[in-house]
Amino acid sequence: MALLCIIIASPVQSAAETTPAWRGDFPDPTVVRDGTRFLAFGTGPRVPVLASDDLVTWTALPPALDGVAAWAEDRDVWAPGVALVGGRWRLYYAVPRRADGTHCVSVASADSAAGPYHDDSAGPVVCQAETQGSIDPEPFIDADGSAWLLWKSQGRPEDNEAALWSSRLSGDGLSLVGDAARLLTRERDWERPLVENPSMARWRGRYLLTYSAGLWQGPDYATGYAVCTRPSGPCARAEDGPALAGDAVLAGTGGGSLFTDDRGRLVLAFHAWDSDAVGSEAGGARRMHVVPVAGEAGALRLDGAPFGVLDGIDLRPGAVVARGWAIDPDQPAADVAVTIDGIEVVSAPALGRRPDVDRTHPGWGAATGFAIAAPMAAGTHRVCVVGRNRGLGRPRQLGCRAVRMDGDPRGSFDSAARFGDQAVVRGWAVDPDQQGPATVFVYLDGAPVAAPQTGERRPDVAVAFPSWGSDRGWAAVVGVGPGRHEVCATVYNRGAGSGRTLGCRAV
């Protein structure tokens, strides 16, 4: 099975760049699209609900669930999942069984996505008593319309590992069909002591499974992902570490759920503590964050950081031009900066047309290219391009090049034609240390007679040196007497380097 390569990165850089979608406590968010708006459902009494038109500004709605099932206790309603199955909206949630307190998965139904949902079930959808119960239900609708349910068996670390499961749902979504398939158990050190919160999505022909691991109460709770052959597995992790982990600003980044936004992009909703207030006893809240998932060259990114490629660097007089493309999942146009020897010189949005990027990274549009000019003195310098992060994530270096600019002018003395007592001389010139016109000194028999500046159109120079432009030609008219004379041309140097003789002609 072909695996995706995960790029591990911390999700944040500074508090100013990390704005939660909802400032209040909203654990285990799951988001669904309902027409032109989005609804988020979270852990809490009667299942709290938020609504948004843009995934940025959210408004609280009445709780979704009008009451738990008769066989359940009305407490500890955990980690809901919502989907349209069998023509009605179904809300799957974990709740304690009245008979023995074991957490089981139940389902409530509603005619509208926001509810109210009513649960008249006679018993749980799934309740693995032999593994201490079942929680964290998440429905998944496959491309063929079939509905599946994912969940976690509670387990007990000392004798029964927690595991992630899936099973096909009946046509009405009220029961399971066939045997349950175990997808994952804890394997990596960072996953101790358990895995939970499964969520699945189709992404470029693959089944992606995100999950949380660790203890939700602590700062090390994090999100990983695996690639599955089908909704029933098998599934394989792409890397040893988490895809989304805490940093200096956020902690406990888990409880995630995948969904598709109105642009067809894959998005992850998850919760996190502020790193200086982890746990309810410290006054903390598990705030909801929403970040688009990005892909690059077969890699899945969950961290919100910009990504892209520095394609190349061109030399211009007095400047370099950095070319490439960049995407920041959190904003319409990535903000790209050019640094020279570690110092930021200039920045600009990546808005140039790159249809090739749109083909390899669908959902982000073709306006992702950049060609940024930065002034640079003569010498050897290290030129780098950095994606300046906005929102969730941190800045990312897109590439660097060692670039030498020698500072010496260059050009050519192309022709000298005599017409009676005058001679017309022509050529081209450029001084790498200046972006404006270069000055050429013309000498007749060793004496200066003219000082034309470049500015005439020379398309041939633009073809040979695309970044210099076509206005690099020079011309002068020189008065000459009878007999043979020598006309010479020299480019005047500014900045580093020295003047250069372009040649001499006899007239």
Side-chain angles (χ1 to χ4, degrees):
M1 179 178 68
L3 296 183
L4 299 181
C5 172
I6 190 69
I7 297 176
I8 304 168
S10 298
V12 294
Q13 183 191 19
S14 69
E17 295 177 343
T18 308
T19 304
W22 185 252
R23 293 294 306 174
D25 193 60
F26 203 84
D28 306 317
T30 185
V31 177
V32 298
R33 186 177 176 188
D34 178 31
T36 59
R37 68 174 179 172
F38 297 89
L39 299 175
F41 302 80
T43 287
R46 301 297 172 90
V47 184
V49 185
L50 305 174
S52 175
D53 294 326
D54 56 9
L55 298 176
V56 176
T57 302
W58 295 80
T59 303
L61 299 183
L65 191 61
D66 65 5
V68 301
W71 54 265
E73 297 182 33
D74 195 357
R75 63 177 178 85
D76 295 343
V77 176
W78 293 345
V82 176
L84 185 63
V85 186
R88 299 196 72 196
W89 288 94
R90 312 295 182 183
L91 185 151
Y92 303 87
Y93 63 102
V95 66
R97 185 164 54 185
R98 188 180 298 277
D100 55 9
T102 299
H103 259 86
C104 307
V105 173
S106 190
V107 58
S109 303
D111 294 324
S112 65
Y117 288 82
H118 180 70
D119 189 346
D120 58 3
S121 61
V125 176
V126 59
C127 190
Q128 297 156 300
E130 69 281 5
T131 58
Q132 289 72 51
S134 305
I135 63 171
D136 296 347
E138 180 87 349
F140 165 65
I141 310 300
D142 203 352
D144 62 2
S146 61
W148 296 75
L149 186 69
L150 289 78
W151 72 92
K152 167 211 174 184
S153 57
Q154 282 271 52
R156 193 164 49 203
E158 61 270 21
D159 61 6
N160 200 327
E161 284 283 357
L164 307 182
W165 301 79
S166 76
S167 180
R168 190 161 182 161
L169 284 162
S170 59
D172 57 12
L174 300 179
S175 60
L176 302 183
V177 176
D179 295 331
R182 187 165 65 175
L183 303 179
L184 287 182
T185 57
R186 177 185 61 82
E187 293 182 4
R188 307 293 193 251
D189 287 341
W190 73 270
E191 296 172 345
R192 294 182 183 276
L194 53 81
V195 294
E196 58 187 11
N197 285 111
S199 181
M200 184 170 282
R202 282 293 297 269
W203 189 74
R204 300 189 187 177
R206 295 179 169 102
Y207 293 93
L208 301 182
L209 173 69
T210 59
Y211 62 95
S212 305
L215 293 174
W216 64 265
Q217 303 94 324
D220 297 328
Y221 196 56
T223 298
Y225 94 106
V227 184
C228 305
T229 304
R230 58 185 67 88
S232 58
C235 302
R237 293 166 175 81
E239 286 288 344
D240 290 337
L244 183 63
D247 204 328
V249 178
L250 297 187
T253 50
S257 179
L258 296 165
F259 67 98
T260 302
D261 70 5
D262 52 359
R263 293 173 56 184
R265 300 180 303 176
L266 190 61
V267 182
L268 179 74
F270 66 96
H271 70 238
W273 305 100
D274 295 340
S275 60
D276 58 356
V278 177
S280 54
E281 293 182 359
R286 286 178 285 173
R287 310 189 198 281
M288 180 177 71
H289 295 259
V290 177
V291 58
V293 175
E296 177 186 16
L300 178 69
R301 296 180 184 273
L302 301 179
D303 62 358
F307 62 97
V309 173
L310 171 61
D311 289 331
I313 291 183
D314 301 324
L315 286 175
R316 280 186 186 173
V320 290
V321 179
R323 297 178 291 101
W325 63 270
I327 292 171
D328 186 341
D330 300 310
Q331 58 179 332
D335 190 10
V336 179
V338 177
T339 68
I340 298 178
D341 300 329
I343 299 174
E344 183 177 315
V345 178
V346 66
S347 66
L351 291 171
R353 284 193 56 78
R354 288 293 298 265
D356 58 323
V357 177
D358 189 35
R359 288 191 294 270
T360 56
H361 303 278
W364 304 99
T368 56
F370 62 83
I372 305 174
M376 191 178 78
T380 300
H381 304 275
R382 183 171 175 81
V383 180
C384 298
V385 173
V386 177
R388 299 169 66 188
N389 182 71
R390 292 285 190 274
L392 190 69
R394 66 190 319 165
R396 177 168 282 134
Q397 193 173 91
L398 307 183
C400 294
R401 300 282 194 280
V403 180
R404 175 170 175 75
M405 184 178 288
D406 60 18
D408 291 336
R410 64 202 68 183
S412 174
F413 185 176
D414 292 335
S415 64
R418 180 167 181 162
F419 301 92
D421 59 355
Q422 291 183 324
V424 178
V425 293
R426 296 183 182 278
W428 66 270
V430 63
D431 185 348
D433 293 316
Q434 56 180 325
Q435 297 186 39
T439 301
V440 177
F441 289 112
V442 179
Y443 299 84
L444 177 66
D445 297 329
V449 292
Q453 289 191 321
T454 57
E456 291 198 350
R457 285 184 55 80
R458 286 293 299 266
D460 57 325
V461 176
V463 171
F465 305 98
S467 60
W468 289 359
S470 63
D471 56 346
R472 299 299 172 181
W474 60 267
V477 178
V478 178
V480 294
R484 180 184 176 87
H485 301 274
E486 183 181 58
V487 181
C488 298
T490 299
V491 185
Y492 176 72
N493 178 69
R494 286 191 176 90
S498 57
R500 174 174 294 180
T501 298
L502 301 181
C504 297
R505 300 272 179 174
V507 295

